[in-house]
Amino acid sequence: MYARAAAATTAALLGAGALVLPSATASADTAGAPESRVAARHGEPLVVAHRGASAYAPENTLAAIDKAAELGFRWVENDVQRTKDGVLVIVHDDNLKRTTNVEEVFPDRAPWKVKDFTAAEIAKLDAGSWFSKKYAGARVPTLTQYMNRLTRNHQRLVLELKKPELYPGIERDTLRVLRKTGWLDRQHVKHRLVIQSFNADSVQKVHALRPDIKTGFLGTPAVADLPKYTEFADQINATHTSISADYVSRIHALKGAHGKPLEIFTWTVDEAEAARRVAGFGVNGIITNKPDVVREAIDD
């Protein structure tokens, strides 16, 4: 996500469909109380590592989620896009220029859009050297690789469908990968997964396909428009510069798509003062490049 407010409303909200993808076999809930409830009991928001611990390792790489795990953070956030040959990859920008060496490897392929490269071509790129020599050779992970690493690390995910208007059908593709990697069983869906987007149509498609999955709309809708979003979203996830204590209380006064109080995760909060401010508003989660800084600030 970018550190800016989304438009107050997204164009034409899609009518809910009835098609539902089959879920994996449900597993017993062995994790006890979800982390969100534990945090709530202590009056603290969840801390979510934005694109992994991206202040300390190259964003959206396996190294970034490993760093988040090393720092003790279960929740991470990522961005999903699709290659020319239909493979889902983890990258924020819709082009590869900023976070890889694509200009050197493929100098004649400007503007280096993700959708114009195959997965094999993207796998050749260095996604770490731009950040630090320490991470030279880091790769752009596929969604499958990413989910498997999260499983190994016992982590949880806020998954953003990035610019889904560029990738028709990416909602179904994403759910297919999640199912194949074991992330659509009862345990994961109930406690370990949120799918979000700036595109309301995309969020509604996910809700139509798998109404059991927790979903979030990225943006700051007008208070009068919030009830529209509760039909298909459980969270309104707004930039921290666009919210107030009153706005948060208006969100919490409503019930989301699953009949529970509507939530708000706010982003991207990297300063201690801002973290304390939004925690004081009562937000449910804080998405940050510096999870250690935020945790220390709100634990004071």
Side-chain angles (χ1 to χ4, degrees), residues 159-187:
L159 183 156
E160 181 180 346
L161 297 172
K162 179 62 63 176
K163 296 191 175 180
E165 59 276 10
L166 298 178
Y167 312 106
I170 193 172
E171 298 83 8
R172 185 185 296 275
D173 292 344
T174 298
L175 293 173
R176 186 176 297 114
V177 172
L178 293 178
R179 185 174 68 250
K180 287 181 177 179
T181 53
W183 275 72
L184 291 188
D185 63 13
R186 180 178 180 272
Q187 170 65 20

Side-chain angles (χ1 to χ4, degrees), residues 60-62 89-91 96 99-100 119 122-123 125-127 137-142 145:
N60 277 325
T61 62
L62 300 182
V89 292
I90 309 304
V91 61
L96 297 155
T99 58
T100 76
I122 291 176
L125 304 178
D126 181 341
R139 301 302 178 193
V140 174
T142 65
Q145 292 168 337

Side-chain angles (χ1 to χ4, degrees), residues 35-37 39 44-48 75 265 283-287 298:
E35 188 176 344
S36 56
R37 294 179 187 172
E44 296 177 358
L46 286 177
V47 178
V48 180
W75 281 94
F265 282 18
V283 299
N284 302 90
I286 299 175
I287 300 175
I298 65 178

Side-chain angles (χ1 to χ4, degrees), residues 63-229:
I65 54 176
D66 288 348
K67 186 63 178 180
E70 178 187 326
L71 292 171
F73 293 93
R74 288 187 177 184
W75 281 94
V76 299
E77 183 264 359
N78 73 355
D79 304 282
V80 177
Q81 299 194 57
R82 191 170 64 202
T83 67
K84 183 178 182 179
D85 53 342
V87 177
L88 299 183
V89 292
I90 309 304
V91 61
H92 178 272
D93 300 359
D94 66 1
N95 70 75
L96 297 155
K97 182 177 177 180
R98 181 175 62 86
T99 58
T100 76
N101 64 338
V102 68
E103 289 182 275
E104 299 173 17
V105 179
F106 299 103
D108 301 324
R109 300 276 294 277
W112 301 287
K113 295 288 188 179
V114 174
K115 64 183 180 64
D116 294 332
F117 287 80
T118 66
E121 289 172 333
I122 291 176
K124 297 176 182 178
L125 304 178
D126 181 341
S129 292
W130 69 273
F131 185 88
S132 168
K133 291 181 180 179
K134 175 182 177 181
Y135 293 104
R139 301 302 178 193
V140 174
T142 65
L143 179 57
T144 296
Q145 292 168 337
Y146 195 94
M147 301 312 297
N148 288 337
R149 184 61 65 92
L150 290 179
T151 297
R152 192 198 75 173
N153 290 350
H154 305 289
Q155 288 171 297
R156 306 177 183 191
L157 178 64
V158 179
L159 183 156
E160 181 180 346
L161 297 172
K162 179 62 63 176
K163 296 191 175 180
E165 59 276 10
L166 298 178
Y167 312 106
I170 193 172
E171 298 83 8
R172 185 185 296 275
D173 292 344
T174 298
L175 293 173
R176 186 176 297 114
V177 172
L178 293 178
R179 185 174 68 250
K180 287 181 177 179
T181 53
W183 275 72
L184 291 188
D185 63 13
R186 180 178 180 272
Q187 170 65 20
H188 286 83
V189 167
K190 191 172 183 181
H191 300 307
R192 295 187 173 187
L193 179 66
V194 178
I195 297 180
Q196 65 177 2
S197 181
F198 282 104
N199 187 310
D201 288 351
S202 187
V203 178
Q204 192 158 0
K205 288 176 184 176
V206 171
H207 181 68
L209 290 165
R210 281 297 300 251
D212 54 333
I213 292 176
K214 193 171 190 176
T215 53
F217 173 71
L218 282 162
T220 314
V223 169
D225 292 328
L226 288 174
K228 299 177 185 177
Y229 294 87

Side-chain angles (χ1 to χ4, degrees), residues 32 56 236 249 293:
Y56 311 116
I236 300 295
S249 68
V293 171

Side-chain angles (χ1 to χ4, degrees), residues 271-292:
E271 303 297 330
E273 182 178 352
R276 287 189 287 266
R277 177 175 59 86
V278 296
F281 293 165
V283 299
N284 302 90
I286 299 175
I287 300 175
T288 172
N289 299 317
K290 299 179 178 180
D292 53 334

